[in-house]
């Protein structure tokens, strides 16, 4: 896993849809689209601003026009009321004048009362003016009030002169006081009334104009409102589309890897779940491959993150290009990819796809003129066989991938036996492949001795790994791994080569010892084995009778029919066959009878405990009897004590092997041991077996 600054930058970028075929939906992320998005966003922003401004102006206009109309109406109303009061004052003044004249001609209480009523009416009208008028009206009123008071004083004196018949005095008062005072009052009242009438008319005209304007504007405002509503709908639609696109883009981003544009882990899991459900309905299988680049970290560290990122992109594109479009390829992170195969029938087909993917990476990647070589390890799992849900399948694909990587195997299918191995053991796998070529695998030889004569009949070749760092590693720690990873083939060949070379060396020095070589269960599934062994024997110049192959019961049971065929072919060549670890498995007697074997080796678990466990002794004895009844040689392995040896002799066992006689040892030590081997004293109990 690498998380680099460059990667983080890349994460922020829009994914370039590199390898994934044009997505199933219309999730178009091209540059043109993003340009259109920007334009839409800008347009909708501008439209929003314009819309807000226009709305604001319309509202301002509405408030302004309504206020203007109402204040114009109020002013018109006020002006008309005031004008009415002035008119009333005007009428009162006119009435006063005519009643004053009338009183002079025909004085009497009736006219006098009417006159008083008219003058009271003037006072009332003036009070109303004072109440409703403005400052200038109030000033006019107070002036008129004072003038009227004074006028009424003169009238009173003139009316008294009339009442007393003093006409000359009456005329004098009228001419000198009443007329001038009245004229002044009448002039003021009339001009004020006239002024206010005109004002009232002009206010009304204003109101009419106002009404006309709003009457004219209203349809336009209505139309504008409609237009705005349409524009609003348009902008909203644009917005909605933009949001829709952004939402889809966000969804796409959340399901795809930003660097390569490939689906990410989440999408892979989703699709895997769907395919598994579909497969369950149809009874089909789903394959899952986990691909991890080898030495990617080195490239990343050596050339820099830019190269690493570019390489990952190109790798994604290449892997995608060799897959069918129904297959999903996802980047899980770092240099890890996964492929979902929804239409796979068996593990072998899935492995073939894995091999194709590896082949696709063979040509170097050209980045900025630098050619980079990259390889991949592929772990393979199949639904049903290796798990029924995405999580388990991916975990197991990971185990298989790790084994493939550690063992440099390229492609490796999951095997439940691999799961238990510690990472430390799995890490050994990587070294094991190298060990084969670096000659670190050596053979130790353990003698097989005749119980009857003490004669050394042969030796079993037992492989050891002289690890440069870890020292001597015993086969139990690496043979099972090799068996599950395909390395067992080359390992068996290596052991056969070395064992036959040693056999030939012994033969050349005049010691024709039978060489026993252990065969793994996997070797028995290889139809080419007899041919290969024939070639090896011929090449090393070793007679077939000097080679014995040890096969465990469980190996025979893996594919009994094929094992039978193979063993018959080997026996026909003259190679001896021995059933290893006999008693630990479940070989049927019937099967044993039909197999072309020459020897059975009683499992050492019975032999080492024979002396203390009577039941084990009984089993050993039964096996010996059984072997003899089938005409086979019976060997007891794991002989550690003289007591065990004595028991075996009593049971009439043929051949023995074990620490008590000799531990497995390198060829040179074996030779030295054999040279000093005193047949007669071989089984001396007081001589402890050398510890290995
Ligand atoms: P095996 O074929 O049953 O080999 C006998 C094992 O018992 C050897 O262990 C040997 O060292 C050990 N042994 C010998 N005498 C005694 C004894 O007196 N007491 C006890 N407790 N053990 C004794 P080793 O060498 O560790 O090999 C373990 C297994 O590894 C072998 O069991 C065999 O199945 C496998 N193996 C060894 N070499 C090869 C090989 O070249 N190819 C294959 N396919 N398998 C191998
Ligand atoms: Ca063996
Ligand atoms: Ca054995």
């Amino acid at each position: 896993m690498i998380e680099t600054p460059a990667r983080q930058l890349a994460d922020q970028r829009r994914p370039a849809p590199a390898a994934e075929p044009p997505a199933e939906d219309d999730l178009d992320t091209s540059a043109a689209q993003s340009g259109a998005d920007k334009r839409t966003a800008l347009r909708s922003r501008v439209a929003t601003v314009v819309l807000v401004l226009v709305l604001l102006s319309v509202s301002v206009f509405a408030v302004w026009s309504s206020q203007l109309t109402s204040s114009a109406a109020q002013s018109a109303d006020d002006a008309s009321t005031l004008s009415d009061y002035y008119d009333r004052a005007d009428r009162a003044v006119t009435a006063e004048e005519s009643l004053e004249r009338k009183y002079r001609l025909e004085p009497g209480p009736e006219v006098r009362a009417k006159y008083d009523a008219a003058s009271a009416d003037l006072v009332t009208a003036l009070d109303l003016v004072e109440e409703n008028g403005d400052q200038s009206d109030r000033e006019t009123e107070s002036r008129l009030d004072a003038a009227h008071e004074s006028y009424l004083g003169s009238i009173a004196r003139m009316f008294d002169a009339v009442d007393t018949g003093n006409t000359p005095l009456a005329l004098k008062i009228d001419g000198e006081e009443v007329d001038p005072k009245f004229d002044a009052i009448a002039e003021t009242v009339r001009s004020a009334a006239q002024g206010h009438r005109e004002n009232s008319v002009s206010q009304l005209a204003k109101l009419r104009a106002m009404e006309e304007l709003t009457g004219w504007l209203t349809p336009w405002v209505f139309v504008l409102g409609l237009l705005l509503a349409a524009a609003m709908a348009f902008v909203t639609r644009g917005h909605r589309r933009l949001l829709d696109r952004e939402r889809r883009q966000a969804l796409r981003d959340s399901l795809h890897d930003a660097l390569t544009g490939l689906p990410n882990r989440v999408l892979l899991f989703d699709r895997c779940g769907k395919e598994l459900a579909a497969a369950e309905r149809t009874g089909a299988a789903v394959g899952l491959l986990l691909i991890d680049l080898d030495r990617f970290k080195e490239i990343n560290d050596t050339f820099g993150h830019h190269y690493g990122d570019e390489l990952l992109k190109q790798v994604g594109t290449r892997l995608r290009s060799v897959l069918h479009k129904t297959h999903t390829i996802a980047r899980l992170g770092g240099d890890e990819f996964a492929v979902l195969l929804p239409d796979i029938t068996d593990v072998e087909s899935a492995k073939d796809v894995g091999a194709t993917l590896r082949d696709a990476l063979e040509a170097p990647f050209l980045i900025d003129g630098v050619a980079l070589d990259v390889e991949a390890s592929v772990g393979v799992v199949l639904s049903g066989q290796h798990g029924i849900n995405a999580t388990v399948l991916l975990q197991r694909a990971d185990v298989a991938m790790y084994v493939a990587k550690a063992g440099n195997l390229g492609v490796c299918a999951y095997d439940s036996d691999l799961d238990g191995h510690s990472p430390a053991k799995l890490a050994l796998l990587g070294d094991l492949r190298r060990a084969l070529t670096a000659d670190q695998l050596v053979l130790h030889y353990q003698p097989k001795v005749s119980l009857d004569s003490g004669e050394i009949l042969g030796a079993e070749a037992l492989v050891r790994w002289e690890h440069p760092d870890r020292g001597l590693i015993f086969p139990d720690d690496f043979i099972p791994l090799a068996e599950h990873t395909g390395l067992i083939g080359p390992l068996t060949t290596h052991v056969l080569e070395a064992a036959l070379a040693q056999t030939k060396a012994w033969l050349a020095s005049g010691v024709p010892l039978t060489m026993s070589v252990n065969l793994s269960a996997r070797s028995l599934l290889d139809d080419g084995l007899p041919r290969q062994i024939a070639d090896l024997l011929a090449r090393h110049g070793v007679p077939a009778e000097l080679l014995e192959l040890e096969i465990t019961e469980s190996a025979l049971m893996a594919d009994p029919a094929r094992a039978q065929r193979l063993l018959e072919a080997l026996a026909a060549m003259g190679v001896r066959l021995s059933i290893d670890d006999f008693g630990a498995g479940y070989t049927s007697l019937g099967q044993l009878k039909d197999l072309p074997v020459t020897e059975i080796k009683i499992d050492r678990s019975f032999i080492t405990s024979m002396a203390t466990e009577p039941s084990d002794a009984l089993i050993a004895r039964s096996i010996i009897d059984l072997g003899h009844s089938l005409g086979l040689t019976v060997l007891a392995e794991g002989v550690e004590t003289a007591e065990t040896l004595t028991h075996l002799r009593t049971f009439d066992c043929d051949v023995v092997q074990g620490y008590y006689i000799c531990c497995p040892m390198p060829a040179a030590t074996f030779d030295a041991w054999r040279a000093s081997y005193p047949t007669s004293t071989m089984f001396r109990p007081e001589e402890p077996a050398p510890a290995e």
Side-chain angles (χ1 to χ4, degrees):
M1 286 282 293
I2 53 151
E3 267 314 321
T4 69
R7 177 72 35 76
Q8 285 156 8
L9 254 182
D11 283 349
Q12 290 158 13
R13 288 197 301 265
R14 204 93 297 186
E20 180 75 337
E24 41 294 299
D25 38 34
D26 57 344
L27 300 171
D28 189 1
T29 53
S30 66
Q33 185 59 63
S34 95
D37 281 355
K38 275 187 198 140
R39 279 198 299 280
T40 310
L42 186 71
R43 215 171 43 214
S44 77
R45 258 200 299 279
V46 169
T48 310
V49 169
V50 170
L51 210 64
V52 167
L53 287 178
V54 172
L55 273 175
L56 216 65
S57 333
V58 167
S59 321
V60 166
F61 167 78
V63 172
W64 169 80
S65 73
S66 100
Q67 264 181 2
L68 213 65
T69 313
S70 94
S71 94
Q74 186 63 49
S75 305
D77 194 38
D78 289 353
S80 144
T81 310
L82 205 59
S83 170
D84 282 352
Y85 296 146
Y86 274 111
D87 279 347
R88 185 173 169 181
D90 190 12
R91 280 194 306 277
V93 166
T94 309
E96 261 186 330
E97 185 190 24
S98 76
L99 286 166
E100 175 246 334
R101 269 197 208 112
K102 193 170 184 180
Y103 195 81
R104 267 191 285 145
L105 295 177
E106 20 180 300
E110 199 185 329
V111 178
R112 180 68 186 251
K114 277 186 182 167
Y115 179 88
D116 287 347
S119 100
D121 200 27
L122 177 63
V123 171
T124 308
L126 289 177
D127 283 352
L128 285 169
V129 165
E130 184 194 20
E131 218 170 275
N132 292 284
D134 59 12
Q135 185 57 32
S136 94
D137 292 315
R138 277 192 291 281
E139 282 167 8
T140 309
E141 192 271 343
S142 82
R143 261 188 289 121
L144 281 171
D145 222 22
H148 193 238
E149 278 295 313
S150 153
Y151 161 77
L152 283 182
S154 302
I155 281 286
R157 277 190 288 115
M158 187 185 81
F159 280 1
D160 282 351
V162 170
D163 289 346
T164 53
N166 188 348
T167 305
L169 180 63
L171 284 174
K172 186 176 180 271
I173 296 173
D174 186 37
E176 288 176 3
E177 292 180 39
V178 171
D179 276 355
K181 285 182 185 170
F182 178 81
D183 286 348
I185 290 170
E187 168 62 22
T188 308
V189 166
R190 277 176 195 142
S191 86
Q194 177 65 26
H196 279 88
R197 221 170 284 127
E198 280 165 10
N199 182 36
S200 166
V201 168
S202 100
Q203 291 295 343
L204 211 64
K206 254 194 213 165
L207 180 61
R208 287 238 174 74
M210 212 59 242
E211 270 174 357
E212 223 165 82
L213 179 71
T214 47
W216 181 81
L217 276 176
T218 304
W220 287 111
V221 171
F222 178 70
V223 169
L224 192 67
L226 276 184
L227 287 177
L228 282 180
M232 192 70 138
F234 179 74
V235 169
T236 314
R237 203 181 52 167
H239 251 302
R240 207 187 52 231
R241 281 193 186 154
L242 187 68
L243 288 176
D244 271 0
R245 226 182 348 260
E246 279 176 356
R247 206 190 54 239
R248 271 181 294 164
Q249 186 61 47
L251 184 70
R252 189 184 194 284
D253 288 352
S254 72
L255 295 177
H256 288 78
D257 167 48
L259 183 69
T260 59
L262 296 175
N264 63 13
R265 186 181 288 265
V266 179
L267 187 52
L268 178 81
F269 263 70
D270 180 61
R271 289 193 186 163
C272 191
K274 283 181 186 145
E275 292 300 346
L276 286 171
E280 202 176 55
R281 283 195 300 276
T282 59
V286 173
L288 190 66
L289 311 184
L290 193 76
I291 304 148
D292 194 278
L293 303 185
D294 300 334
R295 295 184 308 278
F296 174 74
K297 197 180 172 311
E298 270 169 49
I299 293 176
N300 212 42
D301 291 348
T302 315
F303 293 92
H305 303 316
H306 162 68
Y307 283 80
D309 284 358
E310 198 50 44
L311 181 64
L312 288 172
K313 277 196 228 171
Q314 289 193 21
V315 166
T317 310
R318 258 210 223 161
L319 293 180
R320 175 73 259 177
S321 71
V322 295
L323 289 168
H324 192 259
K325 63 173 187 297
T326 56
H327 299 160
T328 293
I329 172 157
R331 178 172 169 236
L332 304 184
D335 57 349
E336 220 176 48
F337 297 83
V339 173
L340 180 69
L341 309 170
D343 50 0
I344 210 80
T345 46
D346 50 45
V347 173
E348 285 312 312
S349 320
K351 281 172 83 174
D352 287 347
V353 177
T356 308
L357 289 168
R358 272 174 51 79
D359 291 348
L361 302 180
E362 233 163 53
F365 291 86
L366 208 66
I367 298 165
D368 294 351
V370 178
L372 296 176
D373 277 308
V374 71
E375 279 180 26
S377 300
V378 184
V380 178
V381 285
L382 203 69
S383 71
Q385 208 166 318
H386 300 138
I388 50 164
N389 66 55
T391 311
V392 170
L393 284 173
L394 202 66
Q395 263 168 15
R396 296 189 165 167
D398 198 49
V399 171
M401 187 279 293
Y402 192 71
V403 172
K405 189 178 273 266
N408 205 4
L409 307 169
V411 183
C412 177
Y414 175 79
D415 188 315
S416 58
D417 292 342
L418 294 173
D419 230 352
H421 292 297
S422 65
K425 262 193 187 174
L426 288 173
L428 268 184
L429 262 180
D431 301 346
L432 184 55
R433 178 170 282 262
R434 248 165 286 137
L436 279 166
T437 48
D439 242 10
Q440 292 167 9
L441 293 185
V442 297
L443 296 183
H444 283 194
Y445 302 93
Q446 188 177 33
K448 290 181 169 183
V449 175
S450 160
L451 184 54
D452 197 29
S453 65
E455 186 192 349
I456 303 168
L457 303 171
E460 180 178 4
L462 295 158
V463 69
R464 270 100 185 89
W465 180 1
E466 287 176 344
H467 194 282
D469 307 322
R470 300 174 187 228
L472 202 65
I473 304 178
F474 284 84
D476 283 341
D477 284 338
F478 62 90
I479 293 287
L481 278 182
E483 279 185 330
H484 293 298
T485 56
L487 270 186
I488 192 68
L491 186 142
T492 304
T493 308
H494 183 90
V495 169
L496 280 166
E497 291 270 10
L500 288 176
Q502 185 56 53
T503 315
K504 179 67 186 173
W506 282 332
L507 192 62
S509 64
V511 192
L513 289 178
T514 304
M515 181 64 78
S516 299
V517 173
N518 292 282
L519 275 195
S520 88
R522 291 281 161 120
S523 304
L524 281 193
L525 299 175
D526 176 7
D527 288 326
L529 185 74
R531 174 84 262 133
Q532 187 200 3
I533 286 178
D535 288 350
L536 283 168
L537 286 169
R539 192 145 48 77
H540 287 277
V542 172
E545 309 80 61
L546 286 189
L547 177 64
E548 182 173 58
L549 297 175
E550 296 191 4
I551 301 136
T552 60
E553 281 183 84
S554 51
L556 289 172
M557 300 311 286
D559 185 349
R562 188 198 295 246
Q564 176 93 28
R565 267 200 323 273
L566 272 181
L567 295 193
E568 270 164 10
L570 289 165
M573 283 158 50
V575 173
R576 293 161 184 257
L577 299 168
S578 171
I579 306 291
D580 205 354
D581 302 342
F582 191 83
Y586 304 93
T587 318
S588 77
L589 280 175
Q591 217 184 348
L592 198 58
K593 179 170 66 65
D594 294 334
L595 286 173
V597 295
T598 43
E599 177 188 83
I600 47 177
K601 293 180 79 169
I602 307 170
D603 191 73
R604 64 180 185 272
S605 63
F606 303 112
I607 307 301
T608 45
S609 53
M610 251 176 77
T612 50
E613 287 288 333
S615 60
D616 284 347
L618 195 66
I619 291 171
R621 181 183 205 143
S622 309
I623 294 175
I624 292 166
D625 290 347
L626 168 76
H628 285 164
S629 67
L630 290 170
L632 303 173
T633 304
V634 181
L635 181 148
E637 61 175 354
V639 179
E640 294 178 348
T641 61
E643 202 185 348
T644 306
L645 201 70
T646 311
H647 267 96
L648 288 168
R649 187 172 282 129
T650 326
F651 297 158
D652 211 11
C653 184
D654 305 304
V655 189
V656 286
Q657 185 184 351
Y659 294 162
Y660 182 69
I661 296 109
C662 185
C663 285
M665 53 204 159
T669 320
F670 184 92
D671 286 342
W673 171 81
R674 192 176 49 79
S676 62
Y677 174 67
T679 309
S680 52
T681 58
M682 173 182 75
F683 303 130
R684 274 204 319 234
E686 63 275 17
E687 257 184 325
E692 193 178 11

